[in-house]
């Protein structure tokens, strides 16, 4: 019943989402027609453009305060009260506030770019609010694990709510796809540092929904991510989110973090498949000497391959100076102007017309585009080296074997959503719902792990 | 029981919310579809009213009607927009409520899993460390592929340095000065003058097909391998043995394989590929067998331009015209050439905005060979002359003598002249009996020089009519005749180059026995060219010689290497040499040679 019900919900969501997408497409198409001529034969006043009022001091501070409170609550709900229900309510609240009310801005994910730009360009003054938004979740993660992802991040919240029918992504696929987020992070940093653009914001798939409007491409992208979220838990968080990439790393070193059972794991296997994000790993088995030897060989190979990969990708990156620099609007403009100068451009563009009206010389434009392209030889190399480093590290990481005696939430991958609590018999004993773990086990099943007798409150008897 | 009831009502709520969301979604979609191409101020009634008003500009009532309708249409539009906006919020709310209730219901109905006992075997970490690296390797491959695609998809038309940029000037399209409407003028609406044609390299062996450059100077030393003297070299995407043509700051080439064909435009200054246009195979010839040989391939004819459009032809008889931005203007299939042993190779030539094709094929009895002329702008045929000659591989030239233009062609057994305006034959001379004609004719000072190995070489005065074999042939030669390369006629000499590597020099006035012969010990398919007093020879293996012919001997000036095979003819433009090797297009010369 539960399964069929979930399927139905998934189907309904799909229908509604597809409807939304189509409608969005229609709306987006229409937006191009919004340029009306002034009404005819009337004294209709042409509205003058107005600049919105500067935000006062209070609003940004309020944002930071709300973020701080939300983080505290999230950490409390996941680690202390261990209440999935509260986590969920907080998730909805965060989605409504940070997502729909604040329209996804400012958000720590995008703040990464402001901070990167501030580091590379001392003339850029980054608002302290933005720094706070960037730093607070990092600090919380260092102490409590990814509680920010659990219920504060509006992007995560949206996907969390849609994770209705998650299929299990094989771990090897999960690990390899996860690399994309790190590369995206690298690209976002160099693009932000060179003022090429804030790509995280530009390609944020959730913004069209938070703001109820976007161009068709972004709507399609966003809708696809949402659709995928129904079947693959948090695809953006796992495979794209650049901030999540940082959080994953920090979370590995967090002082405290979520543990599935409140006390010792009894290896009952009940939580094994419940994590929609594939973040619960079973205990490892003892390896045969043959396998251990193989594993060592794999590690040695990985250690040798890693520097080659770094070098190879560094070289590849240097070769991408032209395409990377062309992400900058000015470089694209230079190409267009050059095509026009050569007489081979099909037509002029709004940007090139504006440029010709600006009085700036073509040489200056070219000069700037060429020096940017030069910069991108180095930056492309750096991005390549970073990519190589991430890949090399992943290869080494994959060849290092870690021993686990019980079921554990993956330090990096667990977003502290708390879904697994309910399944854990030890948790049920803690909550006083049962008096002995065996009551929670399916008939005839005995836990395979060390059987610990727990009393109400989760203390060992 | 109570719990069950609670569960039921929550489930019901989830369903109601879900159905509601779906309905809202469907209504929004239908509404959106209905409005898809509705532009308020383009409503028929409104347009009609406005038209009426144009005829009766003083009709006040009409004016008020328009005003009222304008307002109504706008209000209607914004009402619809608000409808969509509200609908979206409703949809969002609906989805949220569905989610909350369904989640709630699912939570209430949640059941514990019944995990199966673990089977012995490698654990998931083991599988991960086994498969993980392969998956990472696939990601690496994808990244490399993406990088490659990015690089290929983002060519830059900016050269690598500003200095290189400075050496490229004269944009072809005249640009209005700043502040004026920035619209690009069509590329040379008017036909270029003869002088402009000569200053460029618009067809095979230059404007008059003589291989003589209007420049007086060109580089003499280069090395394709080390890059010495090479301004740039660019990979030509598809192979072809056609030679580059140059119009101002653009170099054009075509390339083709059995499956693909393309026309390419390179920036003469930087060598960047400005555009490349894929030409689709004409459906009428698709799948038909096309005879080619290694020496011709699928893109042997050299392109031609009249300064407004460029024309290209391929082995399957497809003729195509493109504008200077690479847009295909028209294309015509002339039919797959029949019984042409080596594949079609004759290059194109233009005359007053038309393009002329020497399309010889089959045997003389077949009467398949044609000389054709098409309107350059539209591709419509202007005239076509059927000729009883077998297939040939030589290219036509257009000359002007005494104010009359003539198209000169070589075929078995005739050297023929036709009027380029109507295709009427002007004269013919029999001097190519039973040969497979390769070399093209050359015109100089009232005389056409044409001939072929195994026949004779003849100098024919062009002022005759009818069969002029007996009356107008000034001299002949029967030794030292070319088989592929076209001759070079200087002020004093006629130079012929045999493909086995010997250059023969004849007295331009007398012919007869060669004055001298010089062996280069290499194979040649590229015809000799002249810059100033210097003759440029490119051998098949890429070695090039610059020589200065005198009455007595051939003085070798320099020898240079292209670094790859070469069977095409060079184009000379603004002190630079453009030559196509087997893989690259080379620009030889110093970067600032054209600043002089
Ligand atoms: S991974 Fe990124 S998007 Fe997902 S919850 Fe964390 S910060 Fe937000
Ligand atoms: S809390 Fe549990 S269910 Fe949620 S991500 Fe972590 S391991 Fe997975």
């Amino acid at each position: 019943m539960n399964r069929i019900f979930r399927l139905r919900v998934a189907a309904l969501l799909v229908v509604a989402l597809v409807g939304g997408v189509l409608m969005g497409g229609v709306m987006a198409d229409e937006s191009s027609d919004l340029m009306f001529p002034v009404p005819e034969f009337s004294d209709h006043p042409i509205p003058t453009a107005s600049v919105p009022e500067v935000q006062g001091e209070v609003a940004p501070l309020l944002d930071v305060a709300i973020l701080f409170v939300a983080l505290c609550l999230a950490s409390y709900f996941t680690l202390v009260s261990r209440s999935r229900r509260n986590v969920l309510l907080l998730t909805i609240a965060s989605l409504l506030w940070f997502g729909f009310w604040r329209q996804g801005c400012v958000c720590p994910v995008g703040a990464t770019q402001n901070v990167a730009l501030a580091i590379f360009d001392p003339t850029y003054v980054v608002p302290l609010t933005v720094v706070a938004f960037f730093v607070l979740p990092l600090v919380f993660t260092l102490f409590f694990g990814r509680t920010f992802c659990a219920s504060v991040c509006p992007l995560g919240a949206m996907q969390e709510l849609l994770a209705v029918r998650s299929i299990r992504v094989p771990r090897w696929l999960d690990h390899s796809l996860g690399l994309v987020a790190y590369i995206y992070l690298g690209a976002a940093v160099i693009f932000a540092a060179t003022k090429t653009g804030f790509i995280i914001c530009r390609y944020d798939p959730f913004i069209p929904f938070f703001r109820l409007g976007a161009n068709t491409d972004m709507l399609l992208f966003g809708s696809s991510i949402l659709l995928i979220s129904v079947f693959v838990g948090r695809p953006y968080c796992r495979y794209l989110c650049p901030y999540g990439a940082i959080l994953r790393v920090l979370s590995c070193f967090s002082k405290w973090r979520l543990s599935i059972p409140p006390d010792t794991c009894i290896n009952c296997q009940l939580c094994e498949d419940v994590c929609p994000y594939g973040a619960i790993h079973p205990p490892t088995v003892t390896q045969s000497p043959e396998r251990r030897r193989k594993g060592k060989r794999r590690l040695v190979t990985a250690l040798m391959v890693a520097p080659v990969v770094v070098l190879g990708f560094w070289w590849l990156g240097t070769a991408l100076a032209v395409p990377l620099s062309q992400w900058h609007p000015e470089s694209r403009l230079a190409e267009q102007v050059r095509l026009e100068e050569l007489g081979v451009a099909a037509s002029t563009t709004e940007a090139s017309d504006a440029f010709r009206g600006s009085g700036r010389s073509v040489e200056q434009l070219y000069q700037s585009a060429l020096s940017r392209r030069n910069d991108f030889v180095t930056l492309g190399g750096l991005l390549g080296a970073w990519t190589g480093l991430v890949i090399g590290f992943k290869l080494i990481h994959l060849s290092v074997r870690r021993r686990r005696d019980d079921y554990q939430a993956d330090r990096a991958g667990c977003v502290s959503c708390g879904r697994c609590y309910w399944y854990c018999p030890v948790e049920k004993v803690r909550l006083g719902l049962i008096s002995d773990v065996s009551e929670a086990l399916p008939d005839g099943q005995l836990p395979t792990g060390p059987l610990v007798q727990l009393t109400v409150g989760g203390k060992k008897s | 029981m109570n719990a069950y009831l609670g569960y039921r009502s929550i489930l019901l709520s989830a369903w109601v919310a879900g159905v509601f969301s779906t309905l809202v979604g469907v209504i929004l979609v239908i509404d959106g579809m209905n409005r898809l191409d509705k532009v308020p101020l383009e409503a028929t009634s409104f347009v009609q009213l406005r038209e009426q008003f144009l005829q009766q500009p003083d009709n006040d009532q009409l004016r008020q009607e328009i005003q009222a309708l304008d307002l109504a249409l706008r209000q209607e539009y914004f009402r619809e927009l608000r409808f969509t906006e509200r609908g979206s919020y409703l949809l969002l709310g609906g989805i949220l409520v569905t989610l909350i209730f369904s989640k709630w219901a699912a939570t209430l109905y949640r059941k514990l899993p019944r995990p199966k006992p673990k089977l012995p075997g490698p654990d998931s970490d083991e599988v991960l460390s086994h498969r993980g690296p392969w998956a990472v390797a696939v990601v690496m491959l994808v990244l490399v592929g993406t990088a490659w695609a990015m690089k290929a998809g983002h060519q830059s038309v900016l050269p690598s340095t500003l200095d290189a940029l400075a050496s490229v000037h004269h944009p072809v399209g005249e640009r209005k000065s700043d502040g004026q409407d920035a619209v690009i003028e069509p590329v040379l609406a008017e036909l270029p003058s003869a002088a402009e044609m000569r200053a460029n390299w618009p067809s095979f062996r230059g404007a008059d097909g003589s291989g003589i450059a209007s420049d007086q100077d060109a580089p003499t030393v280069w090395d394709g391998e080390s890059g010495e003297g090479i301004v740039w070299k660019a990979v030509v995407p598809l192979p072809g043995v056609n030679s580059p043509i140059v119009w101002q700051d653009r170099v054009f080439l075509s390339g083709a394989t059995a499956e693909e064909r393309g026309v390419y435009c390179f920036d003469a200054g930087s060598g960047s590929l400005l555009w490349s246009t894929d030409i689709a195979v004409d459906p009428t010839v698709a799948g038909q067998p096309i005879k080619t040989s290694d020496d011709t391939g699928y893109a042997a004819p050299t392109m031609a331009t009249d300064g407004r459009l460029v024309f290209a032809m391929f082995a399957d008889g497809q003729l195509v015209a493109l504008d200077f931005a690479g847009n295909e203007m028209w294309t015509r299939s002339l039919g797959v050439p029949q019984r042409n042993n080596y594949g079609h190779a004759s290059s194109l030539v233009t005359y007053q905005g038309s393009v002329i094709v020497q399309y010889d094929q089959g045997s003389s009895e077949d009467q398949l060979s044609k000389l054709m002329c098409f309107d350059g702008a539209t591709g419509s045929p202007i005239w076509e002359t059927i000729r009883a000659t077998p297939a040939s591989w030589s290219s036509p030239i257009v000359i002007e003598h005494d104010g009359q233009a003539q198209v000169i062609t070589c075929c078995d057994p005739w050297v023929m002249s036709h009027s380029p305006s109507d295709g009427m034959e002007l004269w013919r001379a029999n001097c190519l009996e039973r040969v497979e004609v390769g070399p093209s004719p050359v015109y100089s000072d009232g005389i056409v020089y044409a001939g072929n190995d195994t026949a004779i070489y003849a100098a024919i005065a062009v002022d005759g009519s009818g069969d002029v074999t007996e009356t107008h042939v000034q001299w002949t030669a029967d030794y030292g005749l070319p088989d592929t390369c076209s001759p070079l006629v200087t002020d004093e000499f006629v130079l012929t180059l045999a493909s086995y590597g010997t250059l023969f020099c004849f007295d331009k006035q007398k012919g007869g026995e060669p004055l001298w012969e010089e062996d280069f010990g290499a194979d040649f398919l590229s015809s000799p060219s002249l810059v100033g007093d210097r003759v440029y020879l490119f051998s098949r293996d890429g070695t090039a010689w610059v020589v200065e012919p005198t009455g007595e001997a051939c003085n070798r000036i320099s020898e240079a290497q292209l670094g790859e095979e070469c069977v095409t003819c060079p184009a000379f433009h603004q002190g630079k040499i453009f030559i196509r090797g087997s893989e690259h297009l080379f620009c030889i010369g110093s970067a600032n040679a054209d600043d002089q």
Side-chain angles (χ1 to χ4, degrees), chain A residues 140-145 250-257 411:
Chain A
F140 269 81
T141 305
L142 268 178
F143 281 95
F144 311 111
L250 293 189
S251 161
C252 293
F253 304 102
S254 66
K255 187 155 169 57
W256 301 283
R257 76 181 65 80
R411 288 179 164 220

Side-chain angles (χ1 to χ4, degrees), chain A residues 112 120 178-191 240-250 306-318 324 377-395, chain B residues 136 140 143:
Chain A
T112 315
F120 286 90
L179 289 171
V180 178
Y182 293 93
I183 300 167
Y184 191 17
L185 172 67
V189 168
I190 67 160
F191 283 153
L240 284 173
C241 179
Y243 194 63
I246 307 177
L247 295 181
R248 289 175 83 91
V249 177
L250 293 189
V308 181
V309 173
V310 175
L311 276 180
F313 274 90
W314 167 79
W315 175 82
L316 196 67
T318 56
L324 288 178
V377 174
T378 318
L379 289 168
L382 282 177
L383 177 62
W386 163 252
T387 306
L389 204 71
V390 170
I391 292 178
F393 202 81
K394 178 61 81 182
L395 286 174
Chain B
V136 172
M140 267 160 56
L143 285 175

Side-chain angles (χ1 to χ4, degrees), chain A residues 258 275-277 279-280 409 413-420:
Chain A
L258 175 143
C275 178
Y277 316 122
I280 300 179
C414 169
V415 293
S416 313
C417 72
R419 283 179 196 240
C420 45

Side-chain angles (χ1 to χ4, degrees), chain A residues 1-2 5 8-9 12-13 15-16 19-20 22-23 26-27 30 33-34 36-42 92 96 100 160-161 171-172 175-176 179 183 212 268-270 272 282 284-285 287 291 298 309 313 316 319-320 322-324 326 334-335 338-345 348 353 356 366-367 369-370 373 387 391 394-395 398 401-402 404 407 419 422-423 428 440 442-443 445, chain B residues 7 11 15 18 22 28-29 32 35-36 39-41 46 50 53 63 66-67 70 74 77-78 81 84 88-89 91-92 95-96 99-100 102-103 105-106 109-116 118 121-126 128-133 135-136 139-140 143-144 147 150-151 154-162 165 168 171 175 178 182 184 187 249-250 267 274-275 324-325:
Chain A
M1 165 68 188
N2 200 5
F5 175 68
R8 281 192 198 149
V9 172
L12 259 182
L13 277 178
V15 172
L22 287 175
M23 183 253 322
V26 171
M27 276 172 68
E30 270 176 353
D33 297 328
L34 279 171
F36 287 138
V38 199
E40 297 192 42
F41 321 124
S42 77
I92 296 173
L96 293 177
F100 289 99
E160 174 72 37
L161 295 184
R171 283 178 72 189
W172 51 268
H175 275 262
S176 46
L179 289 171
I183 300 167
L212 293 181
C268 64
Q269 295 183 49
L270 288 183
E272 182 162 16
T284 50
V285 299
Q287 273 190 320
R291 285 192 189 281
R298 213 175 281 141
V309 173
F313 274 90
L316 196 67
L320 290 183
V322 171
L324 288 178
Q326 282 182 13
E335 298 285 337
R338 172 87 174 125
L339 282 176
E340 289 173 14
E341 295 284 307
L342 288 169
V344 290
T348 62
D353 290 346
R356 291 190 194 283
Y366 289 164
Q367 178 70 68
L370 289 179
R373 188 199 288 174
T387 306
I391 292 178
K394 178 61 81 182
L395 286 174
L398 286 172
R401 193 174 160 83
R402 284 159 224 83
R404 272 190 311 273
Y407 283 84
R419 283 179 196 240
W422 184 83
Y423 296 85
K428 285 192 176 134
D443 303 338
Q445 175 139 357
Chain B
Y7 169 71
L11 188 61
W15 268 110
T22 316
L28 279 178
V29 171
R35 285 190 285 125
L36 202 54
V39 181
L41 297 190
F46 188 72
R50 287 194 44 165
F53 185 77
R63 179 194 189 117
I66 294 184
Q67 207 167 351
D70 183 308
R74 282 170 206 258
Y77 178 79
F78 285 105
L81 218 61
T84 310
S88 322
Y89 277 112
L91 178 65
L92 200 78
I95 293 182
L96 209 67
L99 272 174
I100 292 173
S102 51
K103 223 157 184 139
Y109 210 78
R110 194 162 43 170
K111 274 191 180 151
L112 279 179
R114 306 192 63 107
K116 302 218 169 56
K118 289 247 178 249
D123 56 28
S124 75
D125 282 35
E126 180 77 41
L128 174 65
S129 56
H130 186 71
R131 292 191 189 157
V136 172
V139 170
M140 267 160 56
L143 285 175
V144 172
M150 271 171 73
K151 199 167 158 49
H154 288 80
Q155 301 285 351
S156 173
V157 284
L158 290 174
S160 42
T161 62
L162 260 197
L165 196 69
V168 188
R175 165 154 286 293
D178 285 354
I184 293 176
V187 177
D249 51 6
R250 274 167 257 188
D267 182 4
L274 294 179
W275 50 259
F324 273 41

